[in-house]
Amino acid sequence: MTKSSKDPEAAIKFIEYMRSDEGTRLGDWGIEGEDYKMADGGYPVFSYNTNDLDVVKKNGFVYWGLLADTYITQGLARYQPE
């Protein structure tokens, strides 16, 4: 955030939200119910093939992670129960 920020309080609230569990899941996984749903085991099941680069590019998904994400959200996104 720069000194010329018009609303530093809003910027801080945004950063705090994105560092929360909910914000991290939104940034890493997308919108629950649209991009993924949570399985009973507590991991996301995506509504598309995350390894299909054509689908990823077409939809503009860039799940590279956030600067403040955790190994938990990254690991759960790659979890396969089988």
Side-chain angles (χ1 to χ4, degrees), residues 25-44:
R25 287 190 301 265
L26 176 65
D28 280 347
W29 302 344
I31 299 170
E32 187 171 4
E34 284 185 37
D35 300 313
Y36 74 96
K37 61 182 176 180
M38 291 300 283
D40 290 337
Y43 57 90

Side-chain angles (χ1 to χ4, degrees), residues 7-74:
D7 194 346
E9 288 182 30
I12 290 168
K13 285 181 182 179
F14 174 74
I15 292 168
E16 288 175 340
Y17 172 75
M18 292 308 291
R19 296 236 343 133
S20 72
D21 289 341
E22 181 181 357
T24 300
R25 287 190 301 265
L26 176 65
D28 280 347
W29 302 344
I31 299 170
E32 187 171 4
E34 284 185 37
D35 300 313
Y36 74 96
K37 61 182 176 180
M38 291 300 283
D40 290 337
Y43 57 90
V45 176
F46 292 95
S47 59
Y48 61 94
N49 181 350
T50 59
N51 294 316
D52 185 338
L53 293 181
D54 291 332
V55 171
V56 171
K57 288 178 185 177
K58 176 182 169 230
N59 292 320
F61 295 126
V62 183
Y63 290 106
W64 50 267
L66 301 171
L67 296 177
D69 70 354
T70 67
Y71 67 92
I72 295 170
T73 27
Q74 287 289 322

